[in-house]
Amino acid sequence: MRRLTCSILSVFSMILLGLFCFLFASCGDELTDDLQADFSTSYIFFSYSPELTESPDPVTISYPIGTRVPFSSLPSATTPAFFALKPGYKIDFWLYYKNPVTGSKDLPSNITCRKMTAGDGTEFDAIDSFTVASAPASFVVHEWLPVTYYVVLDGNGGTYTDAEGKVISQEKTAFSYDTSAALPTNKFVRNGYVHNGWARTSSAVPNTPEFKDSDVVLNLSNVEGSVINLFACWLKEKINISFEANGGSGTMATLEQVSVGDVLPACTFTAPVGHYFGSWTFTKSDGSIVNSYPDGATLTEANYPNENATFVAQWLLIPYTVTFDSQGGSIVPSQTVGWSTCATSQVATKTGYDFGGWYTDSACTSAYDFTTPVTADITLYAKWNIQSRTVNYDLDGGTGTVPASETIDFSSWPYTPAHTATKTGYIFDGWTASESEWSTEPVTFTAKWKPKGSIIGTIPAGIGVTYTATGMTFTVTSGNPPYQWIIDEAFASGGTDTLSISYTDYSSGTHLVFVCGSPGADGIFTAAFQFEVQ
């Protein structure tokens, strides 16, 4: 009844459109532009060819005259009038049907088409665009095609590696509406889990999946391009784990029905002497060895054996510390050695001493044997042998009861000899060592001498002095002879430019010397100075 009513209305609309067209044609060209601006033309779109069905479901759409309608703006399955007309299908192209008033099927000039090829190889003219004119037109769907939707299988914690080595966590597959097809066979793997089908949510109960692996599905969606996400359902793998002492003693019960998230028990085997428990290892069926399961380790997806396993105890040597006390020498780092293994000897240094090895006591009465296995913490002490050197003496012209050489050790350094010496005309002033730093090379101490007599202060210009073992000689180096020499206000000598004195002629203490020359061009030369006899 609805479709009959629609058909009557459509025919009535076409009659009205014909009358409008007649009026437009009789008014002439002067009114054309105004009519295009003020009026619209109704175009009819048939979902099926009226020649093939009694109910073609026509839809009438009005467009303002002069409007250009491109291909992208033509009605589609999502256009409200066509919506839900044929769920799961889409319109591929529109064909020109005819002028609903005149019945002509000739293509009007305001409508353009493009050549297309159907799936069976036949060609057809598809509407590309049209410019709305005053004359009506009708169109018909070329073909209704099933929509394409997509199913994305999500590993939901599982992955697989493709042929190019890329890790895949989701797999997308296209499906056509009204076509049954199987879901892709599961490729995802998840350590410690068994795949149990697919669900629409990631948190679905894995025991009751909505789809099993490779299930055939039909019409999961009727929307073009829509995506249906299915998440992998995983059941925990169950295995048994037994334990092997590997040199230890005792027994441990087998763990049954172990799964991801379970915690390993602490090792209760008795360790071999000198060892302690390190971790569990097991050898997989492919021959690879999995390490590092400490006491109380939680089984995770990363370390789950994924097969019945025998965990083998791995024992480590108890570590002991060997401490080296250098007893004042250079710092020697301590060593950590395993039970029943040997420490390595180290060398220390100490200024003034030779290293004498390591001992078990600070008094260094018991030498340590580095071939002895270590079974406890131990402290070793460095022994030091004091170094010595030969001391030689150089009297530098003096005499005395000084030994030719003698030996001293580092405890006496820096060394100051107690010996003295004598030298005529000089006073002994100690010893000068040839070096100040400690060495085991011989060292020579040289006697230091200072003259018995000496000038006090600075000797005047024009006067020189030389020293001998028994006295001093004063010399005038400028001025005019003859000269008169006076010592302690007593005439000492006259006529010469030199004056020699003997220390024995003068008492200890300070003495004044005055010298005077003859008048010359520069006047009379005079000079005065003091000397001291010790």
Side-chain angles (χ1 to χ4, degrees), residues 466-511:
T466 58
Y467 298 94
T468 67
T470 58
M472 294 184 291
T473 297
F474 309 116
T475 302
V476 178
T477 59
S478 65
N480 301 307
Y483 301 98
Q484 301 296 319
W485 297 87
I486 299 173
I487 301 178
D488 294 336
E489 300 181 353
F491 180 77
S493 177
T496 65
D497 58 356
T498 61
L499 173 65
S500 296
I501 66 168
S502 174
Y503 295 137
T504 57
D505 294 336
Y506 294 90
S507 61
S508 299
T510 301
H511 303 276

Side-chain angles (χ1 to χ4, degrees), residues 76-309:
S76 68
T78 59
T79 301
F82 289 94
F83 185 72
L85 187 62
K86 190 172 184 181
Y89 285 81
K90 59 187 176 181
I91 298 171
D92 65 342
F93 296 101
W94 289 97
L95 305 177
Y96 179 71
Y97 182 46
K98 65 181 180 180
N99 184 316
V101 176
T102 64
S104 173
K105 292 191 176 183
D106 294 332
L107 184 70
S109 60
N110 63 312
I111 299 176
T112 59
C113 295
R114 52 179 165 171
K115 288 289 185 182
M116 302 296 295
T117 302
D120 59 2
T122 60
E123 291 186 344
F124 61 95
D125 294 319
I127 301 300
D128 185 63
S129 65
F130 58 84
T131 300
V132 180
S134 57
S138 61
F139 306 91
V140 65
V141 171
H142 170 257
E143 187 177 3
W144 288 88
L145 299 178
V147 300
T148 299
Y149 63 91
Y150 299 90
V151 172
V152 173
L153 299 183
D154 189 304
N156 197 18
T159 60
Y160 71 89
T161 304
D162 65 11
E164 298 177 354
K166 184 180 179 180
V167 177
I168 305 299
S169 60
Q170 289 185 332
E171 184 178 32
K172 186 175 183 180
T173 305
F175 287 79
S176 292
Y177 193 79
D178 273 349
T179 300
S180 297
L183 295 173
T185 302
N186 175 58
K187 301 186 188 74
F188 298 105
V189 293
R190 186 178 178 188
N191 196 49
Y193 291 83
V194 177
H195 183 254
N196 191 41
W198 308 95
R200 293 180 185 265
T201 62
S202 60
S203 58
V205 178
N207 291 328
T208 57
E210 184 175 350
F211 303 97
K212 286 294 187 178
D213 193 27
S214 302
D215 267 0
V216 175
V217 296
L218 176 66
N219 297 347
L220 295 184
S221 174
N222 61 7
V223 179
E224 172 71 15
S226 61
V227 175
I228 306 300
N229 291 293
L230 299 181
F231 298 87
C233 295
W234 299 102
L235 297 175
K236 285 187 176 181
E237 178 73 87
K238 299 291 184 180
I239 62 170
N240 297 333
I241 298 178
S242 59
F243 300 93
E244 184 178 304
N246 189 28
S249 58
T251 59
M252 288 185 65
T254 297
L255 297 181
E256 297 181 348
Q257 297 295 290
V258 179
S259 61
V260 171
D262 289 345
V263 178
L264 294 176
C267 177
T268 58
F269 291 129
T270 300
V273 175
H275 293 73
Y276 70 97
F277 177 75
S279 63
W280 301 102
T281 65
F282 85 97
T283 302
K284 300 181 70 173
S285 56
D286 62 5
S288 61
I289 298 178
V290 180
N291 297 305
S292 196
Y293 290 89
D295 264 350
T298 298
L299 295 178
T300 65
E301 289 187 48
N303 65 16
Y304 190 73
N306 217 34
E307 60 182 82
N308 290 335

